[in-house]
Amino acid sequence: MSTLEVSPAERLSGQPERPAINEFSIQVATVNGSGSQTANSVLMRAIFQMGIPVSGKNMFPSNIAGLPTWFTIRTSARGYIGRRKEVDFLVAMNPETAREDVMQLGAGAAVVYDEPLKLDALRSDLHFYPVPFDKLVAPVCPEPRLRKLVRNMIYDGVLARILSIEMDEVHKALEKQFGKKKAKAAELNWNAARAGYDFAAATFTKTDPFRVERMNATAGKIIIDGNAACALGAMFAGVTVVTWYPITPSTSLVESLMGYMRRFRHDPESGKANYAIVQAEDELASIGMAIGAGWAGARSMTATAGPGVSLMSEFIGLGYYADIPAVIYDVERVGPSTGLPTRTQQGDILSNAILSHGDTRHPMFFPSSPEECFSLSIEAFDFAEKFQTPVFVMTDLDLGMNNWMSDPFAYPEKPIARGKVLTAEDIGKLGGFARYRDVDGDGVGYRTLPGTRHPAAAYFTRGSGHNDKAQYTEREDDYINNMDRLAHKFEVMRQHVPEPVTAIREDARIGLVAVGTSDYAVRECCDQLRDEYGVAASYMRLKAYPFTEHLKDFIRRHERVYVVDQNRDGQLLGLMRLEFDAELIAKLRSVRYYGGLPLDARTVTDEVVGQEGL
Amino acid sequence: MTPQAKKVNRLGLEVLNYRGSKTTLCAGCGHNAISERIVECFYELGVDPMGVAKFSGIGCSSKSPAYFLGLSHGFNGVHGRMPAIATGALLANRTLMGLGVTGDGDTASIGIGQFMHLVRRNMPLIYIIEDNGVYGLTKGQFSATADVGSKLKTGAPNDLPPFDCCALALKWGATFVARSFSGDKKQLQAIIKTAIARGAYMKEHEEPLQELDFVPFFEDISVEIPEGEVREIEMHDGSRLRLRKLDRYYDPTDRLSALSALEEAEKNHEVLTGVLYVNTAKPTFLEVLNMAEEPLATLPESKLRPSPAALNEIMEELR
């Protein structure tokens, strides 16, 4: 995708647009495995604790140690927490990338760097702050083997001084990071931060315009990554069987679930687990176990990413055809094939919608924030059992693995809904049942669970042709009846999926549609269109597939609708093409980004502006 | 004349209650004989069929669970992946008795990985491999258990050596390994009954290792046994398996001797049948997971959803 070299605002004023107080981005360039994660988290948290809206994005390599990694922190008094492409303040710790990192900065940016790199010779239009990290770390960390890990903490202190981040908040953030049990490590890091602060205070005269100022915009909020939020959602949804196979970027979802389940889901009296978590031998087994458990009545789930979903395809087709509930978290990463395992994309939308051979359709939920990771997880488990079908919860690496500022999660209001399950007593009253008969007109039959003690309770589940009594059949009419029931069931789901979030501008001739993490960029884009171009744009964020009537109405009321996709082929748009009339399709336009980084507003704005000919 | 009382088992059920729908497999097929034995064993032992869950993959053998235990839930899944489905279902409800039926294609080829991991986990599942060395449904290709040199109808020879699923299961840590022949009614019955009494891995075939008597826990028939010739092994439910020594008797609780007996038989082009190995001490996967005794599937909401206080506690930590 082509993007403009300079933003329109710059073109208009002739001056670089440089926000300063609470409106800038910091990029820390380090080497993977150097312990920078702690320093970066503490930095982000300290700013957060000062009441300033903040976001953090980790751009890391698929490697254990040694390759370059970048962490971007964006502060935004206006509350924009999507990625911002422009870097205002660079911390250059990686000799491998320092030169390129510096050359990419816009004029007027600031650079804190490791003194021996001599970066100040590269440019004359930047603010440079050289720091002798090795010299500073030695006195505060006598143990040479720990220096590598503590060294990065020094830049937290330097930045605190230059950007006016309160050291008390750095200290609090450190304590939070290490907890009471690791007081010694916290102290070591604190000393390093102090050394950085003192050095900067004694050495530098501030020349750049960037600084933070205490606000009150984060009170009561939490910081959490999307994977942990999904894990909490699954736990409060009452998940009982979790089967998985490690894969980036979904691994931490199950790992944090293990931690929470150990604390909150053991029987207080017996100490026994009211759940099972099994690391399977591969994704074929993990989804097979989830399907087996769902069949036997457990609330089951698995978590994976694109390559895992590809492997699960056959079983998910079985789940669809045999009406078996399961929740599949797909934390999307860049495909195809192994792709870029540590970069983000919305690349599985189209394939998941129709995953597996034959005619299939699968519901997908699209959380865009940690709060929705929590609330939509709970809805997904209810939905899977209500409609007796596999349900995808689609997030991506950006949402799953990055830390996000979020409102605290609300305790679920509705009780757990287990769907249509007949007990032995029910069967006794009914005198029998037909597993796949659509008695309620919603396409969902009644099921019994194995172990139900009634002679008429059993049925035989199969992925081969079956009639409404679950008996083997190859008859044309039986096959068609069953497939039509499944199609009808999918139509009924439309009335029950979470509704989209819509912001209509009455004067808007254009609209934007997006899912998941595109939300942040699109909302900011709508403001940019308004502020920079005087263009009104409506916005609809979908929370689920199948699409509801709301989407059609939204397209009808606008002249052109831009469908934002974080993939090359416009997959979300492609799904709309599959089911909409030509008249609606003719109004759709595509905005696509697929470089693997979190989507930023400028990319969307530039594309819309280009296509609108503004 | 008064009508003759129907013959029932200890649960008051007739053998009819243990049958399934009519078989669609070829007449005289060994699979049907095994299905018959399953019906007899579950009936005679008085197992509640409504507490049993049947699992299978894809193939002729995998169709057979429809032909027995019609009062049990069944799941005919995808090719080679029955172990995963069974594992999930037994995690969801640990009180179910799991009975898996598979074939040599389903287990030794496409499903060898899942079979291996099922064994490694020691899932309490009766896993019957109905091994005929051939792909039946696709009409006659070799499976990975076909003997080297055996010929297809076209005359094409098999030039790869077979897997011995019993030896592999032993190696991977299976806790009950037995082999029988679908035509050996008495031995197969004793083996299936033992498997029911403890959860096991089995396979059909030839050369008997020992004579087997299975004594269910609810029967206590004392039989005259010549000293030194018979060994009794107690199963989890208190039933006992009596092994009567034959020429080549060995200790079935010793894995090494089981493996060497299999090696030796292979050298002599023999197939050993009988109980190859029993280990009643190793914990099952369900025990390893420290799971609640009641089925996870039917836990009440109070045990599934932590309290509002728990959510507050977590939110507080994240502030």
Side-chain angles (χ1 to χ4, degrees), chain A residues 101-124:
Chain A
D101 289 338
V102 168
M103 294 315 287
Q104 282 178 353
L105 294 171
V111 186
V112 164
Y113 67 99
D114 195 12
E115 194 172 33
L117 297 176
K118 300 199 192 320
L119 300 177
D120 53 339
L122 293 172
R123 300 264 301 255
S124 58

Side-chain angles (χ1 to χ4, degrees), chain B residues 134-247:
Chain B
V134 72
Y135 281 76
L137 274 180
T138 51
K139 308 215 161 137
Q141 298 74 30
F142 290 122
S143 82
T145 63
D147 288 331
V148 68
S150 52
K151 287 197 172 126
L152 292 180
K153 275 184 193 163
T154 59
N158 180 25
D159 35 44
L160 291 174
F163 277 153
D164 180 340
C165 290
C166 289
L168 293 174
L170 270 170
K171 193 70 203 137
W172 297 330
T175 52
F176 180 87
V177 183
R179 175 153 50 199
S180 190
F181 171 56
S182 58
D184 187 340
K185 190 171 169 178
K186 182 167 181 286
Q187 187 195 45
L188 185 52
Q189 271 204 359
I191 285 174
I192 292 176
K193 285 181 179 174
T194 310
I196 290 169
R198 68 166 321 288
Y201 306 93
M202 316 197 314
K203 197 181 172 224
E204 49 150 324
H205 252 300
E206 302 159 49
E207 205 75 8
L209 272 166
Q210 64 283 91
E211 273 184 44
L212 302 174
D213 284 310
F214 178 81
V215 186
F217 68 92
F218 52 84
E219 279 176 26
D220 192 20
I221 307 158
S222 63
V223 184
E224 285 295 314
I225 308 155
E227 189 70 26
E229 298 245 311
V230 166
R231 187 139 170 215
E232 271 198 359
I233 300 173
E234 192 174 314
M235 298 300 130
H236 288 163
D237 69 353
S239 303
R240 282 156 295 148
L241 178 70
R242 288 187 180 145
L243 305 119
R244 201 177 318 258
K245 190 171 167 177
L246 293 182
D247 282 359

